[in-house]
């Protein structure tokens, strides 16, 4: 089977800071690096490194051709990424000494993916393939509707959170993943808890407390692996990509979550985003 990811592609500008600045505060960085990133890209790379066949659907500007080369190096099919006459998306990321981050996104080409690109990609998908989306691109509801109609399994990572966009795709989803804050925001917007949503499988990530899976047999908790984090950027995306890759390869949900938890633990011990996501051999060898 395969994973089709309607996903963002960013140039991540990462600044190391002693603490995250408050309103009106100016601080100096102790280091700056540029990584391949974007929630969509991170998930594609994670799933590919977890041995899934991954097709990325997205867009970059002429300044983003390097990102296509990098994705290819990481095993991601880039034939459905359009090169547009606009700038590639950017993220300004500040990471403090505790590993926490603050992020500013500039959408760029992520918000202008042509519908023709999406349609061409989905036409090559097969019944039972996975389609995954995040809230960093356009065409999410269109993709969810198309995926459901064609018999794909549809997944949505509800970040950055927008209640209206989540509600627009909910009727078409097989799998929803969101963090605890986003789950609360969705309940405030809809009046329904995650147990009331019309989605077969829902994962609520809890950071250092692990994750809860709400499935056909009820709620199951999966504890996090205790490590000393240096950078939490991309850890949630790595978790999602590994879960989807596990499911696509026929793993039961519990096994896929356990493997993804190890991948996320490795990720928070590294500086960077897509470029430093662990591969399957590292995850399997990891003995916490």
């Amino acid at each position: 089977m395969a994973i089709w990811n309607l996903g963002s592609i960013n140039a991540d500008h990462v600044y190391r800071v002693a603490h995250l600045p408050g309103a009106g505060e100016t601080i100096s960085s102790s280091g700056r690096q540029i990584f391949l990133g974007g929630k969509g890209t991170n998930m594609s790379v994670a799933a590919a490194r977890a041995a899934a066949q991954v097709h990325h659907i997205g867009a970059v500007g002429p300044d983003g051709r390097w990102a296509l080369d990098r994705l290819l190096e990481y095993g991601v099919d880039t034939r459905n990424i359009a090169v547009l006459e606009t700038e590639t998306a950017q993220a300004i990321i500040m990471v403090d000494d505790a590993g926490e981050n603050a992020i500013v996104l500039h959408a760029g080409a992520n918000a202008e993916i042509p519908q023709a690109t999406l349609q061409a990609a989905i036409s090559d998908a097969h019944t039972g393939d996975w389609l995954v989306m995040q809230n960093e691109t356009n065409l999410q509801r269109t993709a969810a509707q198309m995926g459901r109609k064609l018999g794909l399994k549809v997944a949505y990572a509800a970040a950055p959170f927008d209640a209206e966009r989540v509600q627009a795709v909910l009727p078409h989803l097989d799998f929803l993943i969101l963090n605890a804050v986003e789950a609360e925001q969705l309940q405030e917007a809809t009046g329904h808890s995650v147990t009331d949503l019309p989605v077969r499988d829902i994962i609520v990530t809890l950071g250092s407390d692990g994750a809860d899976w709400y499935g056909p047999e009820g709620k199951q908790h999966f504890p996090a692996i205790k490590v000393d984090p240096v950078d939490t950027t991309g850890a949630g995306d790595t978790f999602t990509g590994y879960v989807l890759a596990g499911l696509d390869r026929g793993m039961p949900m519990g096994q896929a979550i356990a493997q993804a938890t190890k991948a996320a633990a490795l990720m928070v011990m590294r500086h960077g985003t897509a470029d430093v996501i662990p591969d399957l051999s590292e995850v399997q060898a990891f003995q916490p």
Side-chain angles (χ1 to χ4, degrees), residues 9 25 30 34 39 44 56 79-80 92 99 123 125 159 170 173 194 199 204 213 222 235 248 270 276:
I9 304 170
E25 181 181 9
S30 59
I34 299 177
K39 297 190 73 63
S44 281
H56 196 97
R79 287 175 291 179
N80 296 294
I92 305 300
S123 68
L170 269 178
L173 297 184
V194 292
V199 182
V204 178
W213 166 40
F222 294 80
D248 186 62
R270 303 174 176 186
V276 299

Side-chain angles (χ1 to χ4, degrees), residues 14-254:
V14 181
Y15 297 84
R16 193 75 193 181
V17 295
H19 64 273
L20 300 180
E25 181 181 9
T26 300
I27 61 175
S28 297
S29 70
S30 59
R32 173 180 177 270
Q33 292 176 284
I34 299 177
F35 295 95
L36 175 65
K39 297 190 73 63
T41 290
N42 296 340
M43 291 178 194
S44 281
V45 172
R49 287 187 164 173
Q53 180 182 352
V54 182
H55 303 265
H56 196 97
I57 308 165
V60 297
D63 59 332
R65 294 183 187 273
W66 65 273
L68 306 188
D69 295 338
R70 196 79 61 83
L71 281 165
L72 274 174
E73 291 174 11
Y74 297 149
V76 177
D77 188 317
T78 62
R79 287 175 291 179
N80 296 294
I81 299 175
V83 179
L84 308 178
E85 291 301 319
T86 188
E87 60 186 346
T88 302
Q90 299 178 22
I92 305 300
I93 303 171
M94 292 176 287
V95 181
D96 69 14
D97 289 343
E100 296 300 323
N101 62 53
I103 303 173
V104 177
L105 295 175
H106 174 65
N110 288 337
E112 300 180 23
I113 300 169
Q115 186 162 329
T117 298
L118 171 64
Q119 291 173 327
I122 297 299
S123 68
D124 288 333
H126 299 283
T127 300
D129 283 356
W130 279 97
L131 171 66
V132 60
M133 300 158 289
Q134 323 78 37
N135 190 25
E136 289 186 344
T137 72
N138 60 327
L139 298 176
Q140 296 163 41
R141 179 167 58 181
T142 300
Q145 291 172 336
M146 292 173 61
R148 171 62 71 188
K149 184 176 180 180
L150 293 173
L152 307 186
K153 291 175 286 189
V154 184
Y156 189 73
F161 186 77
D162 183 297
E164 290 186 5
R165 287 194 167 194
V166 179
Q167 291 178 83
V169 300
L170 269 178
H172 313 291
L173 297 184
D174 298 283
F175 176 35
L176 172 66
I177 184 165
L178 66 175
N179 64 31
V181 173
E182 292 158 354
E184 291 179 3
Q185 292 173 321
L186 186 59
Q187 182 168 351
E188 290 175 2
T190 64
H192 299 293
S193 69
V194 292
T195 57
D196 299 324
L197 298 177
V199 182
R200 175 183 171 86
D201 292 297
I202 300 173
I203 294 178
V204 178
T205 59
L206 308 169
S208 61
D209 291 328
D212 289 333
W213 166 40
Y214 298 83
E217 298 179 3
K219 176 182 173 181
Q220 296 185 45
H221 178 71
F222 294 80
I225 296 170
K226 301 303 181 184
V227 297
D228 294 322
V230 299
D231 185 354
T232 59
T233 310
D237 303 333
T238 299
F239 178 88
T240 300
Y242 261 82
V243 168
L244 287 170
L247 295 176
D248 186 62
R249 292 168 51 218
M251 286 183 178
M253 178 66 84

